[in-house]
Amino acid sequence: MSRGLRPWAERLAEQELASGTVVGDAVFLSPQYRVDPGLSRYTRSFAFRAHPFETRRNYATDLTLWLEFLWRRSKGWREATSRDLDDFEFWRRLAPQNPVRVGGSKWNRERAAITGLYRWAVREGLVRVSPTAGRQAAGRARDARPSNVHWLTPRTWKLWADIGPAAALPTAGRCMAGRAGWRTATRCLSSCSPRRVCAGRWPRRC
């Protein structure tokens, strides 16, 4: 680091410490490069930090889309109404003019991110009425599809990583790789009980 930047960096570290900012906290900048104090308080709150890191990152991206939508309407996030949220949902999911419309599952996540922000803001007295009020059930997309995710334990992940996508499991039936090798190997291992896959001993079948 150059000598000219070192004092600035030291002051920045002191300011972050004084404000309670830690590594991983999201910071929202407006198109005018201004930091919103209310949004910064939210990303430093327990309500936001309690989410896993990946969820926080996804929610920050989703909230950015919401903030940009409001900015085009010359509105701040505290001025948003239920009509704004309805229009935002229409634009994200149904508007023919939108070339990157999203499905129900993605919208439900964006809606959850917005709901979390305003639930916290109402509790902190930053807004009087949430634009999501009364939409907890009605606002969920009906065309959402559950994710087809197969979770692996750390031990099973190590076994899968050691095998590789092109290998065959030493079982009665073979999980062949081919074009679907990654998916097939993952499905075979994830379908086995963690108690049965241990210490290099393989079950007879998956």
Side-chain angles (χ1 to χ4, degrees):
M1 181 182 297
S2 65
R3 294 181 180 179
L5 290 177
R6 184 169 299 172
W8 175 84
E10 291 176 352
R11 290 196 302 271
L12 179 61
E14 294 175 356
Q15 292 173 356
E16 290 178 344
L17 182 62
S19 65
T21 302
V22 299
V23 175
D25 286 346
V27 177
F28 295 94
L29 290 178
S30 73
Q32 297 176 339
Y33 302 101
R34 295 179 179 176
V35 177
D36 186 289
L39 293 174
S40 296
R41 282 179 54 190
Y42 175 59
T43 58
R44 298 196 308 267
S45 69
F46 178 79
F48 189 78
R49 285 178 174 172
H51 294 300
F53 173 78
E54 189 65 21
T55 301
R56 297 199 306 270
R57 184 171 66 174
N58 290 335
Y59 278 11
T61 301
D62 297 336
L63 289 174
T64 299
L65 296 173
W66 169 240
L67 295 172
E68 289 179 350
F69 178 82
L70 293 174
W71 182 269
R72 295 190 185 99
R73 295 190 162 195
S74 301
K75 280 190 173 184
W77 65 275
R78 300 188 195 187
E79 304 167 326
T81 65
S82 59
R83 175 61 184 272
D84 293 317
L85 187 58
D86 288 340
D87 292 345
F88 181 62
E89 179 180 1
F90 178 79
W91 170 256
R92 293 292 289 152
R93 302 187 60 218
L94 303 172
Q97 301 87 346
N98 184 2
V100 287
R101 295 186 296 272
V102 299
S105 298
K106 178 62 167 63
W107 167 251
N108 284 344
R109 194 191 77 184
E110 294 180 8
R111 177 183 164 278
I114 297 171
T115 299
L117 167 63
Y118 285 99
R119 182 185 297 121
W120 171 86
V122 170
R123 188 168 61 246
E124 294 294 314
L126 297 181
V127 298
R128 188 173 62 86
V129 179
S130 168
T132 65
R135 295 172 52 92
Q136 278 65 24
R140 292 187 61 83
R142 296 182 179 180
D143 60 339
R145 298 180 179 179
S147 299
N148 186 23
V149 178
H150 296 268
W151 294 98
L152 305 180
T153 65
R155 181 179 296 173
T156 308
W157 165 259
K158 183 178 184 303
L159 293 172
W160 177 82
D162 290 342
I163 291 171
L169 295 174
T171 61
R174 293 172 65 85
C175 296
M176 302 304 293
R179 289 183 298 177
W182 288 92
R183 181 181 62 190
T184 304
T186 305
R187 187 178 299 276
C188 285
L189 278 173
S190 62
S191 62
C192 298
S193 169
R195 295 182 180 179
R196 297 167 59 194
V197 184
C198 59
R201 297 173 56 189
W202 294 88
R204 292 184 179 179
R205 60 183 179 179
C206 292

